[in-house]
Amino acid sequence: MAQPTSTALRYEAGDTWLSSCAPHPELVREAWEKDTLAPITSGAHWLIAEARLVYSMPALTRIPEGQRGPVLADSQGDSAWWLVPLDAAEELADVRAVSVKPPGWSLDCPPSGRMLFGHLWLNHPDGTGVLTDPAVLAAALGPGGYRFRTGVQG
């Protein structure tokens, strides 16, 4: 029997975390086994910050990997959904490129390692529960987008 790869283990950890965010994790797993999207409701573990995919792609590259939480995209609908902390709404209120969905909003999620119905994770859930800091997201989506400093100050 083949040994699971580190990528497969990462996807499994992400799927375990993501399904645990639903009131009924077993229903999420059943949906994925049937190759369908699983609706997971926001508000218990995270909120959803929605932005156009065309704005989210450059913002994603501006945020260092360790500071990005899961980001789900709809490749057919020009939408991206960033998983952010429960207190993110106020901090993102003035960012025109993003709207924070209220608690109870349902996000149709594929499993971590697959695309289903045009939905795919641009930044996969990794099982750690890391979410995108709203200040970092605001800076990345703001005018010109924040660029993190690299190198040594001179």
Side-chain angles (χ1 to χ4, degrees):
M1 178 157 92
Q3 293 294 319
T5 65
S6 63
T7 302
L9 291 174
R10 247 189 355 207
Y11 289 157
E12 181 56 35
D15 289 348
T16 298
W17 175 78
L18 194 56
S19 64
S20 77
C21 293
H24 302 286
E26 67 281 358
L27 296 178
V28 171
R29 294 291 187 154
E30 285 177 23
W32 291 339
E33 287 172 11
K34 295 176 183 175
D35 288 329
T36 188
L37 298 169
I40 300 178
T41 305
S42 68
H45 301 275
W46 33 261
L47 291 179
I48 300 161
E50 182 176 32
R52 290 186 60 201
L53 184 57
V54 69
Y55 299 140
S56 293
M57 293 300 292
L60 192 64
T61 65
R62 293 178 182 126
I63 301 173
E65 188 172 330
Q67 295 183 9
R68 290 186 303 236
V71 182
L72 181 63
D74 178 355
S75 62
Q76 300 164 352
D78 188 31
S79 294
W81 301 280
W82 300 73
L83 303 190
V84 295
L86 295 172
D87 60 355
E90 187 175 323
E91 193 150 1
L92 292 169
D94 293 332
V95 181
R96 291 182 0 179
V98 67
S99 67
V100 177
K101 301 301 182 185
W105 201 80
S106 185
L107 183 64
D108 292 329
C109 301
S112 297
R114 291 197 339 247
M115 178 193 290
L116 290 174
F117 303 102
H119 286 69
L120 71 149
W121 291 99
L122 298 177
N123 202 60
H124 304 275
D126 63 5
T128 65
V130 169
L131 303 171
T132 302
D133 181 309
V136 172
L137 181 58
L141 286 170
Y146 181 75
R147 297 228 181 246
F148 288 86
R149 298 177 77 147
T150 57
V152 182
Q153 285 183 319

